[in-house]
Amino acid sequence: MKKYLLAAAGVVAAAVIAAPSAVGASSEPPTDPTPAPALHPTPVPALHQTATPALHPTPAPAAPAPARIRTVRSGERVDAGQGFTVWLTEDGKHWAGPDGFENFRSVVDGNIDRSQPGVSHQSEGDASGVFHSGLYYGTKEAGRVELTGAGGRPVLATLLELPGRPGWGVWYARTGPGGDRAAVALYDRAGRRLTELRG
């Protein structure tokens, strides 16, 4: 009987001793039931995103913008600077210099042909500079009048017209001393040269 109890006790002891071995038999940590986050590889940029940008040629300088045409009343005097005054009447262009002497250029005496584009030029000056002015006519689409002197640099003129777009107007501009000779060109609103008066 004692042998049986001792044998039974030895079996229990062996089971208790064996249990930790069984438990520790696996050194792996328990598996986490939460799935690992999916890995998203960094996208590779498309070839066109990393390619050198295409080279674009430098655009040519734009033509000067058309001068704004100022509409004036008949007889309205416009200060053109440096003591010069310009005004228009139905029969033509009037101007006066610092000396007060008045000048006139007719558009109705038959000396200009208003049936086709044209431009005229008068100039007077001194050591401080030259005042240029004239008529433009023969078009209701005038865009700008441009002077080009010996230096080759264009100067945009100021344009004046009477109400109703009569098909003619007056231009004026100033240049430096000695610039009394200049080519004068009339352009339409699209930038096309209509006529030119060589200096």
Side-chain angles (χ1 to χ4, degrees):
M1 185 72 172
K2 284 181 183 179
K3 285 183 181 180
Y4 178 76
L5 288 173
L6 286 173
V11 171
V12 171
V16 170
I17 291 169
S21 299
V23 171
S26 174
S27 61
E28 295 291 326
T31 305
D32 186 355
T34 306
L39 295 177
H40 299 288
T42 304
V44 177
L47 182 60
H48 70 274
Q49 292 174 330
T50 57
T52 304
L55 297 177
H56 299 287
T58 303
R68 185 178 66 85
I69 299 176
R70 177 178 169 186
T71 302
V72 294
R73 298 183 311 274
S74 178
E76 178 182 348
R77 298 201 172 215
V78 175
D79 181 357
Q82 301 295 316
F84 287 90
T85 304
V86 179
W87 65 101
L88 287 68
T89 59
E90 286 75 6
D91 55 355
K93 166 201 169 193
H94 304 257
W95 75 102
D99 57 6
F101 185 74
E102 295 186 4
N103 299 279
F104 172 66
R105 186 76 166 88
S106 177
V107 294
V108 295
D109 64 1
N111 286 326
I112 62 170
D113 181 3
R114 291 171 57 184
S115 67
Q116 57 187 356
V119 65
S120 69
H121 180 205
Q122 294 85 43
S123 64
E124 55 185 286
D126 54 26
S128 66
V130 180
F131 177 73
H132 303 263
S133 64
L135 295 167
Y136 62 89
Y137 49 87
T139 179
K140 293 189 177 186
E141 298 299 320
R144 73 181 193 271
V145 170
E146 197 172 272
L147 275 73
T148 305
R153 189 176 69 86
V155 176
L156 286 177
T158 299
L159 307 183
L160 305 174
E161 275 189 13
L162 293 173
R165 297 174 65 192
W168 68 273
V170 169
W171 65 267
Y172 67 86
R174 288 189 62 81
T175 60
D180 54 335
R181 294 187 63 81
V184 182
L186 171 65
Y187 295 83
D188 68 11
R189 295 179 186 181
R192 293 172 300 199
R193 187 170 62 189
L194 300 176
T195 188
E196 181 177 21
L197 183 64
R198 297 191 178 275

PDB file of all heavy atoms in Angstrom, residues 144-179:
ATOM      1  N   ARG A 144      -2.312 103.860 -83.924  1.00  0.00           N
ATOM      2  CA  ARG A 144      -1.215 104.637 -83.343  1.00  0.00           C
ATOM      3  C   ARG A 144      -0.446 105.338 -84.455  1.00  0.00           C
ATOM      4  O   ARG A 144      -0.492 104.924 -85.611  1.00  0.00           O
ATOM      5  CB  ARG A 144      -0.280 103.756 -82.522  1.00  0.00           C
ATOM      6  CG  ARG A 144       0.611 102.832 -83.322  1.00  0.00           C
ATOM      7  CD  ARG A 144       1.497 101.978 -82.397  1.00  0.00           C
ATOM      8  NE  ARG A 144       2.568 101.308 -83.102  1.00  0.00           N
ATOM      9  CZ  ARG A 144       2.480 100.110 -83.648  1.00  0.00           C
ATOM     10  NH1 ARG A 144       1.339  99.449 -83.577  1.00  0.00           N
ATOM     11  NH2 ARG A 144       3.515  99.566 -84.264  1.00  0.00           N
ATOM     12  N   VAL A 145       0.265 106.397 -84.056  1.00  0.00           N
ATOM     13  CA  VAL A 145       1.226 107.082 -84.921  1.00  0.00           C
ATOM     14  C   VAL A 145       2.560 106.986 -84.201  1.00  0.00           C
ATOM     15  O   VAL A 145       2.661 107.221 -82.992  1.00  0.00           O
ATOM     16  CB  VAL A 145       0.835 108.552 -85.175  1.00  0.00           C
ATOM     17  CG1 VAL A 145       1.968 109.299 -85.863  1.00  0.00           C
ATOM     18  CG2 VAL A 145      -0.440 108.625 -86.005  1.00  0.00           C
ATOM     19  N   GLU A 146       3.583 106.632 -84.955  1.00  0.00           N
ATOM     20  CA  GLU A 146       4.892 106.377 -84.374  1.00  0.00           C
ATOM     21  C   GLU A 146       5.954 107.169 -85.116  1.00  0.00           C
ATOM     22  O   GLU A 146       5.992 107.157 -86.347  1.00  0.00           O
ATOM     23  CB  GLU A 146       5.158 104.877 -84.503  1.00  0.00           C
ATOM     24  CG  GLU A 146       6.252 104.324 -83.634  1.00  0.00           C
ATOM     25  CD  GLU A 146       6.265 102.804 -83.729  1.00  0.00           C
ATOM     26  OE1 GLU A 146       5.545 102.152 -82.957  1.00  0.00           O
ATOM     27  OE2 GLU A 146       6.983 102.291 -84.603  1.00  0.00           O
ATOM     28  N   LEU A 147       6.819 107.863 -84.366  1.00  0.00           N
ATOM     29  CA  LEU A 147       7.945 108.600 -84.941  1.00  0.00           C
ATOM     30  C   LEU A 147       9.218 107.783 -84.733  1.00  0.00           C
ATOM     31  O   LEU A 147       9.387 107.172 -83.677  1.00  0.00           O
ATOM     32  CB  LEU A 147       8.153 109.936 -84.219  1.00  0.00           C
ATOM     33  CG  LEU A 147       7.340 111.140 -84.671  1.00  0.00           C
ATOM     34  CD1 LEU A 147       5.907 110.992 -84.241  1.00  0.00           C
ATOM     35  CD2 LEU A 147       7.930 112.399 -84.091  1.00  0.00           C
ATOM     36  N   THR A 148      10.080 107.792 -85.722  1.00  0.00           N
ATOM     37  CA  THR A 148      11.385 107.147 -85.577  1.00  0.00           C
ATOM     38  C   THR A 148      12.441 108.124 -86.067  1.00  0.00           C
ATOM     39  O   THR A 148      12.462 108.488 -87.242  1.00  0.00           O
ATOM     40  CB  THR A 148      11.464 105.832 -86.380  1.00  0.00           C
ATOM     41  OG1 THR A 148      10.385 104.991 -85.995  1.00  0.00           O
ATOM     42  CG2 THR A 148      12.778 105.123 -86.111  1.00  0.00           C
ATOM     43  N   GLY A 149      13.295 108.565 -85.141  1.00  0.00           N
ATOM     44  CA  GLY A 149      14.336 109.528 -85.482  1.00  0.00           C
ATOM     45  C   GLY A 149      15.612 108.848 -85.905  1.00  0.00           C
ATOM     46  O   GLY A 149      15.667 107.631 -86.143  1.00  0.00           O
ATOM     47  N   ALA A 150      16.694 109.626 -85.966  1.00  0.00           N
ATOM     48  CA  ALA A 150      17.987 109.115 -86.428  1.00  0.00           C
ATOM     49  C   ALA A 150      18.510 108.014 -85.511  1.00  0.00           C
ATOM     50  O   ALA A 150      19.218 107.108 -85.947  1.00  0.00           O
ATOM     51  CB  ALA A 150      18.988 110.259 -86.508  1.00  0.00           C
ATOM     52  N   GLY A 151      18.174 108.069 -84.229  1.00  0.00           N
ATOM     53  CA  GLY A 151      18.637 107.059 -83.286  1.00  0.00           C
ATOM     54  C   GLY A 151      17.949 105.719 -83.444  1.00  0.00           C
ATOM     55  O   GLY A 151      18.385 104.718 -82.879  1.00  0.00           O
ATOM     56  N   GLY A 152      16.833 105.686 -84.188  1.00  0.00           N
ATOM     57  CA  GLY A 152      16.123 104.442 -84.425  1.00  0.00           C
ATOM     58  C   GLY A 152      15.138 104.037 -83.350  1.00  0.00           C
ATOM     59  O   GLY A 152      14.473 103.008 -83.467  1.00  0.00           O
ATOM     60  N   ARG A 153      15.013 104.819 -82.273  1.00  0.00           N
ATOM     61  CA  ARG A 153      14.084 104.453 -81.202  1.00  0.00           C
ATOM     62  C   ARG A 153      12.715 105.057 -81.495  1.00  0.00           C
ATOM     63  O   ARG A 153      12.586 106.272 -81.637  1.00  0.00           O
ATOM     64  CB  ARG A 153      14.584 104.963 -79.852  1.00  0.00           C
ATOM     65  CG  ARG A 153      13.774 104.437 -78.661  1.00  0.00           C
ATOM     66  CD  ARG A 153      14.385 104.894 -77.351  1.00  0.00           C
ATOM     67  NE  ARG A 153      14.230 106.313 -77.150  1.00  0.00           N
ATOM     68  CZ  ARG A 153      13.159 106.884 -76.597  1.00  0.00           C
ATOM     69  NH1 ARG A 153      12.136 106.153 -76.228  1.00  0.00           N
ATOM     70  NH2 ARG A 153      13.102 108.192 -76.437  1.00  0.00           N
ATOM     71  N   PRO A 154      11.656 104.230 -81.596  1.00  0.00           N
ATOM     72  CA  PRO A 154      10.327 104.778 -81.906  1.00  0.00           C
ATOM     73  C   PRO A 154       9.731 105.534 -80.723  1.00  0.00           C
ATOM     74  O   PRO A 154       9.975 105.200 -79.570  1.00  0.00           O
ATOM     75  CB  PRO A 154       9.496 103.534 -82.235  1.00  0.00           C
ATOM     76  CG  PRO A 154      10.175 102.423 -81.524  1.00  0.00           C
ATOM     77  CD  PRO A 154      11.635 102.768 -81.478  1.00  0.00           C
ATOM     78  N   VAL A 155       8.961 106.567 -81.047  1.00  0.00           N
ATOM     79  CA  VAL A 155       8.248 107.366 -80.048  1.00  0.00           C
ATOM     80  C   VAL A 155       6.774 107.337 -80.417  1.00  0.00           C
ATOM     81  O   VAL A 155       6.406 107.660 -81.557  1.00  0.00           O
ATOM     82  CB  VAL A 155       8.775 108.826 -80.033  1.00  0.00           C
ATOM     83  CG1 VAL A 155       7.959 109.676 -79.067  1.00  0.00           C
ATOM     84  CG2 VAL A 155      10.256 108.860 -79.672  1.00  0.00           C
ATOM     85  N   LEU A 156       5.937 106.941 -79.466  1.00  0.00           N
ATOM     86  CA  LEU A 156       4.493 106.921 -79.708  1.00  0.00           C
ATOM     87  C   LEU A 156       3.920 108.318 -79.534  1.00  0.00           C
ATOM     88  O   LEU A 156       4.227 109.006 -78.558  1.00  0.00           O
ATOM     89  CB  LEU A 156       3.788 105.964 -78.743  1.00  0.00           C
ATOM     90  CG  LEU A 156       3.964 104.478 -79.016  1.00  0.00           C
ATOM     91  CD1 LEU A 156       3.265 103.660 -77.932  1.00  0.00           C
ATOM     92  CD2 LEU A 156       3.416 104.106 -80.377  1.00  0.00           C
ATOM     93  N   ALA A 157       3.074 108.710 -80.460  1.00  0.00           N
ATOM     94  CA  ALA A 157       2.433 110.024 -80.405  1.00  0.00           C
ATOM     95  C   ALA A 157       1.114 109.949 -79.656  1.00  0.00           C
ATOM     96  O   ALA A 157       0.507 108.880 -79.532  1.00  0.00           O
ATOM     97  CB  ALA A 157       2.206 110.537 -81.824  1.00  0.00           C
ATOM     98  N   THR A 158       0.676 111.081 -79.173  1.00  0.00           N
ATOM     99  CA  THR A 158      -0.669 111.219 -78.598  1.00  0.00           C
ATOM    100  C   THR A 158      -1.633 111.537 -79.732  1.00  0.00           C
ATOM    101  O   THR A 158      -1.315 112.351 -80.615  1.00  0.00           O
ATOM    102  CB  THR A 158      -0.685 112.346 -77.548  1.00  0.00           C
ATOM    103  OG1 THR A 158       0.237 112.012 -76.505  1.00  0.00           O
ATOM    104  CG2 THR A 158      -2.068 112.539 -76.967  1.00  0.00           C
ATOM    105  N   LEU A 159      -2.806 110.913 -79.735  1.00  0.00           N
ATOM    106  CA  LEU A 159      -3.781 111.102 -80.808  1.00  0.00           C
ATOM    107  C   LEU A 159      -5.031 111.808 -80.290  1.00  0.00           C
ATOM    108  O   LEU A 159      -5.525 111.495 -79.210  1.00  0.00           O
ATOM    109  CB  LEU A 159      -4.182 109.746 -81.406  1.00  0.00           C
ATOM    110  CG  LEU A 159      -3.042 108.833 -81.873  1.00  0.00           C
ATOM    111  CD1 LEU A 159      -3.606 107.567 -82.507  1.00  0.00           C
ATOM    112  CD2 LEU A 159      -2.130 109.552 -82.842  1.00  0.00           C
ATOM    113  N   LEU A 160      -5.527 112.747 -81.098  1.00  0.00           N
ATOM    114  CA  LEU A 160      -6.745 113.494 -80.770  1.00  0.00           C
ATOM    115  C   LEU A 160      -7.722 113.389 -81.935  1.00  0.00           C
ATOM    116  O   LEU A 160      -7.306 113.469 -83.107  1.00  0.00           O
ATOM    117  CB  LEU A 160      -6.431 114.972 -80.529  1.00  0.00           C
ATOM    118  CG  LEU A 160      -5.364 115.328 -79.475  1.00  0.00           C
ATOM    119  CD1 LEU A 160      -5.100 116.833 -79.504  1.00  0.00           C
ATOM    120  CD2 LEU A 160      -5.819 114.883 -78.092  1.00  0.00           C
ATOM    121  N   GLU A 161      -9.006 113.242 -81.625  1.00  0.00           N
ATOM    122  CA  GLU A 161     -10.047 113.220 -82.667  1.00  0.00           C
ATOM    123  C   GLU A 161     -11.276 113.953 -82.170  1.00  0.00           C
ATOM    124  O   GLU A 161     -11.533 114.023 -80.962  1.00  0.00           O
ATOM    125  CB  GLU A 161     -10.456 111.779 -83.010  1.00  0.00           C
ATOM    126  CG  GLU A 161      -9.582 111.099 -84.017  1.00  0.00           C
ATOM    127  CD  GLU A 161     -10.155 109.756 -84.487  1.00  0.00           C
ATOM    128  OE1 GLU A 161     -11.343 109.467 -84.227  1.00  0.00           O
ATOM    129  OE2 GLU A 161      -9.396 109.000 -85.122  1.00  0.00           O
ATOM    130  N   LEU A 162     -12.059 114.433 -83.121  1.00  0.00           N
ATOM    131  CA  LEU A 162     -13.366 115.005 -82.809  1.00  0.00           C
ATOM    132  C   LEU A 162     -14.374 113.857 -82.613  1.00  0.00           C
ATOM    133  O   LEU A 162     -14.128 112.732 -83.071  1.00  0.00           O
ATOM    134  CB  LEU A 162     -13.823 115.921 -83.941  1.00  0.00           C
ATOM    135  CG  LEU A 162     -12.994 117.202 -84.122  1.00  0.00           C
ATOM    136  CD1 LEU A 162     -13.436 117.935 -85.393  1.00  0.00           C
ATOM    137  CD2 LEU A 162     -13.114 118.114 -82.912  1.00  0.00           C
ATOM    138  N   PRO A 163     -15.510 114.108 -81.976  1.00  0.00           N
ATOM    139  CA  PRO A 163     -16.505 113.051 -81.776  1.00  0.00           C
ATOM    140  C   PRO A 163     -17.016 112.499 -83.109  1.00  0.00           C
ATOM    141  O   PRO A 163     -16.999 113.180 -84.137  1.00  0.00           O
ATOM    142  CB  PRO A 163     -17.630 113.766 -81.014  1.00  0.00           C
ATOM    143  CG  PRO A 163     -16.986 114.951 -80.382  1.00  0.00           C
ATOM    144  CD  PRO A 163     -15.903 115.376 -81.331  1.00  0.00           C
ATOM    145  N   GLY A 164     -17.477 111.246 -83.090  1.00  0.00           N
ATOM    146  CA  GLY A 164     -18.092 110.639 -84.265  1.00  0.00           C
ATOM    147  C   GLY A 164     -17.134 109.972 -85.217  1.00  0.00           C
ATOM    148  O   GLY A 164     -17.534 109.577 -86.295  1.00  0.00           O
ATOM    149  N   ARG A 165     -15.862 109.846 -84.852  1.00  0.00           N
ATOM    150  CA  ARG A 165     -14.854 109.201 -85.701  1.00  0.00           C
ATOM    151  C   ARG A 165     -14.921 109.736 -87.132  1.00  0.00           C
ATOM    152  O   ARG A 165     -15.326 109.040 -88.064  1.00  0.00           O
ATOM    153  CB  ARG A 165     -15.036 107.689 -85.667  1.00  0.00           C
ATOM    154  CG  ARG A 165     -14.808 107.114 -84.276  1.00  0.00           C
ATOM    155  CD  ARG A 165     -15.135 105.634 -84.213  1.00  0.00           C
ATOM    156  NE  ARG A 165     -14.223 104.889 -85.060  1.00  0.00           N
ATOM    157  CZ  ARG A 165     -14.405 103.611 -85.387  1.00  0.00           C
ATOM    158  NH1 ARG A 165     -15.476 102.964 -84.976  1.00  0.00           N
ATOM    159  NH2 ARG A 165     -13.533 102.992 -86.141  1.00  0.00           N
ATOM    160  N   PRO A 166     -14.485 110.970 -87.326  1.00  0.00           N
ATOM    161  CA  PRO A 166     -14.615 111.603 -88.649  1.00  0.00           C
ATOM    162  C   PRO A 166     -13.660 111.068 -89.716  1.00  0.00           C
ATOM    163  O   PRO A 166     -13.757 111.466 -90.877  1.00  0.00           O
ATOM    164  CB  PRO A 166     -14.304 113.076 -88.349  1.00  0.00           C
ATOM    165  CG  PRO A 166     -13.415 113.046 -87.151  1.00  0.00           C
ATOM    166  CD  PRO A 166     -13.902 111.887 -86.325  1.00  0.00           C
ATOM    167  N   GLY A 167     -12.734 110.177 -89.339  1.00  0.00           N
ATOM    168  CA  GLY A 167     -11.802 109.648 -90.334  1.00  0.00           C
ATOM    169  C   GLY A 167     -10.503 110.426 -90.426  1.00  0.00           C
ATOM    170  O   GLY A 167      -9.695 110.179 -91.312  1.00  0.00           O
ATOM    171  N   TRP A 168     -10.303 111.357 -89.501  1.00  0.00           N
ATOM    172  CA  TRP A 168      -9.040 112.078 -89.425  1.00  0.00           C
ATOM    173  C   TRP A 168      -8.832 112.537 -87.983  1.00  0.00           C
ATOM    174  O   TRP A 168      -9.749 112.551 -87.179  1.00  0.00           O
ATOM    175  CB  TRP A 168      -9.006 113.289 -90.374  1.00  0.00           C
ATOM    176  CG  TRP A 168      -9.958 114.407 -89.997  1.00  0.00           C
ATOM    177  CD1 TRP A 168     -11.264 114.525 -90.351  1.00  0.00           C
ATOM    178  CD2 TRP A 168      -9.661 115.542 -89.176  1.00  0.00           C
ATOM    179  NE1 TRP A 168     -11.814 115.659 -89.809  1.00  0.00           N
ATOM    180  CE2 TRP A 168     -10.844 116.306 -89.070  1.00  0.00           C
ATOM    181  CE3 TRP A 168      -8.525 115.986 -88.512  1.00  0.00           C
ATOM    182  CZ2 TRP A 168     -10.916 117.491 -88.338  1.00  0.00           C
ATOM    183  CZ3 TRP A 168      -8.596 117.172 -87.782  1.00  0.00           C
ATOM    184  CH2 TRP A 168      -9.791 117.910 -87.711  1.00  0.00           C
ATOM    185  N   GLY A 169      -7.611 112.895 -87.679  1.00  0.00           N
ATOM    186  CA  GLY A 169      -7.294 113.385 -86.342  1.00  0.00           C
ATOM    187  C   GLY A 169      -5.937 114.050 -86.336  1.00  0.00           C
ATOM    188  O   GLY A 169      -5.319 114.245 -87.387  1.00  0.00           O
ATOM    189  N   VAL A 170      -5.492 114.408 -85.146  1.00  0.00           N
ATOM    190  CA  VAL A 170      -4.221 115.107 -84.962  1.00  0.00           C
ATOM    191  C   VAL A 170      -3.342 114.261 -84.035  1.00  0.00           C
ATOM    192  O   VAL A 170      -3.825 113.654 -83.092  1.00  0.00           O
ATOM    193  CB  VAL A 170      -4.456 116.506 -84.354  1.00  0.00           C
ATOM    194  CG1 VAL A 170      -3.145 117.148 -83.911  1.00  0.00           C
ATOM    195  CG2 VAL A 170      -5.180 117.398 -85.347  1.00  0.00           C
ATOM    196  N   TRP A 171      -2.075 114.222 -84.322  1.00  0.00           N
ATOM    197  CA  TRP A 171      -1.107 113.561 -83.441  1.00  0.00           C
ATOM    198  C   TRP A 171      -0.053 114.576 -83.012  1.00  0.00           C
ATOM    199  O   TRP A 171       0.193 115.562 -83.696  1.00  0.00           O
ATOM    200  CB  TRP A 171      -0.454 112.363 -84.141  1.00  0.00           C
ATOM    201  CG  TRP A 171       0.396 112.737 -85.340  1.00  0.00           C
ATOM    202  CD1 TRP A 171       0.003 112.793 -86.639  1.00  0.00           C
ATOM    203  CD2 TRP A 171       1.772 113.123 -85.322  1.00  0.00           C
ATOM    204  NE1 TRP A 171       1.042 113.189 -87.443  1.00  0.00           N
ATOM    205  CE2 TRP A 171       2.142 113.391 -86.664  1.00  0.00           C
ATOM    206  CE3 TRP A 171       2.730 113.265 -84.318  1.00  0.00           C
ATOM    207  CZ2 TRP A 171       3.427 113.796 -87.019  1.00  0.00           C
ATOM    208  CZ3 TRP A 171       4.017 113.672 -84.668  1.00  0.00           C
ATOM    209  CH2 TRP A 171       4.350 113.922 -86.005  1.00  0.00           C
ATOM    210  N   TYR A 172       0.574 114.323 -81.847  1.00  0.00           N
ATOM    211  CA  TYR A 172       1.704 115.149 -81.431  1.00  0.00           C
ATOM    212  C   TYR A 172       2.630 114.331 -80.522  1.00  0.00           C
ATOM    213  O   TYR A 172       2.215 113.364 -79.880  1.00  0.00           O
ATOM    214  CB  TYR A 172       1.257 116.449 -80.743  1.00  0.00           C
ATOM    215  CG  TYR A 172       0.573 116.282 -79.416  1.00  0.00           C
ATOM    216  CD1 TYR A 172       1.304 116.199 -78.228  1.00  0.00           C
ATOM    217  CD2 TYR A 172      -0.819 116.230 -79.332  1.00  0.00           C
ATOM    218  CE1 TYR A 172       0.666 116.064 -77.003  1.00  0.00           C
ATOM    219  CE2 TYR A 172      -1.446 116.094 -78.112  1.00  0.00           C
ATOM    220  CZ  TYR A 172      -0.709 116.009 -76.948  1.00  0.00           C
ATOM    221  OH  TYR A 172      -1.340 115.866 -75.741  1.00  0.00           O
ATOM    222  N   ALA A 173       3.904 114.740 -80.517  1.00  0.00           N
ATOM    223  CA  ALA A 173       4.919 114.067 -79.693  1.00  0.00           C
ATOM    224  C   ALA A 173       6.109 115.003 -79.525  1.00  0.00           C
ATOM    225  O   ALA A 173       6.224 115.996 -80.250  1.00  0.00           O
ATOM    226  CB  ALA A 173       5.365 112.760 -80.352  1.00  0.00           C
ATOM    227  N   ARG A 174       6.976 114.678 -78.588  1.00  0.00           N
ATOM    228  CA  ARG A 174       8.205 115.453 -78.374  1.00  0.00           C
ATOM    229  C   ARG A 174       9.404 114.528 -78.451  1.00  0.00           C
ATOM    230  O   ARG A 174       9.353 113.363 -78.043  1.00  0.00           O
ATOM    231  CB  ARG A 174       8.187 116.147 -77.005  1.00  0.00           C
ATOM    232  CG  ARG A 174       7.213 117.310 -76.921  1.00  0.00           C
ATOM    233  CD  ARG A 174       7.411 118.093 -75.621  1.00  0.00           C
ATOM    234  NE  ARG A 174       8.733 118.695 -75.513  1.00  0.00           N
ATOM    235  CZ  ARG A 174       9.098 119.842 -76.087  1.00  0.00           C
ATOM    236  NH1 ARG A 174       8.231 120.523 -76.818  1.00  0.00           N
ATOM    237  NH2 ARG A 174      10.324 120.323 -75.932  1.00  0.00           N
ATOM    238  N   THR A 175      10.503 115.059 -78.993  1.00  0.00           N
ATOM    239  CA  THR A 175      11.777 114.345 -79.004  1.00  0.00           C
ATOM    240  C   THR A 175      12.860 115.283 -78.471  1.00  0.00           C
ATOM    241  O   THR A 175      12.612 116.463 -78.233  1.00  0.00           O
ATOM    242  CB  THR A 175      12.151 113.870 -80.427  1.00  0.00           C
ATOM    243  OG1 THR A 175      12.253 115.010 -81.291  1.00  0.00           O
ATOM    244  CG2 THR A 175      11.115 112.900 -80.975  1.00  0.00           C
ATOM    245  N   GLY A 176      14.052 114.748 -78.299  1.00  0.00           N
ATOM    246  CA  GLY A 176      15.153 115.553 -77.780  1.00  0.00           C
ATOM    247  C   GLY A 176      15.652 116.573 -78.783  1.00  0.00           C
ATOM    248  O   GLY A 176      15.201 116.619 -79.936  1.00  0.00           O
ATOM    249  N   PRO A 177      16.607 117.382 -78.361  1.00  0.00           N
ATOM    250  CA  PRO A 177      17.165 118.406 -79.261  1.00  0.00           C
ATOM    251  C   PRO A 177      17.744 117.783 -80.524  1.00  0.00           C
ATOM    252  O   PRO A 177      18.307 116.694 -80.505  1.00  0.00           O
ATOM    253  CB  PRO A 177      18.272 119.050 -78.417  1.00  0.00           C
ATOM    254  CG  PRO A 177      17.925 118.723 -76.998  1.00  0.00           C
ATOM    255  CD  PRO A 177      17.224 117.406 -77.034  1.00  0.00           C
ATOM    256  N   GLY A 178      17.585 118.486 -81.629  1.00  0.00           N
ATOM    257  CA  GLY A 178      18.141 118.022 -82.893  1.00  0.00           C
ATOM    258  C   GLY A 178      17.362 116.906 -83.557  1.00  0.00           C
ATOM    259  O   GLY A 178      17.799 116.378 -84.579  1.00  0.00           O
ATOM    260  N   GLY A 179      16.210 116.561 -83.028  1.00  0.00           N
ATOM    261  CA  GLY A 179      15.430 115.465 -83.598  1.00  0.00           C
ATOM    262  C   GLY A 179      14.288 115.933 -84.465  1.00  0.00           C
ATOM    263  O   GLY A 179      13.212 115.322 -84.473  1.00  0.00           O
TER     264      GLY A 179
END
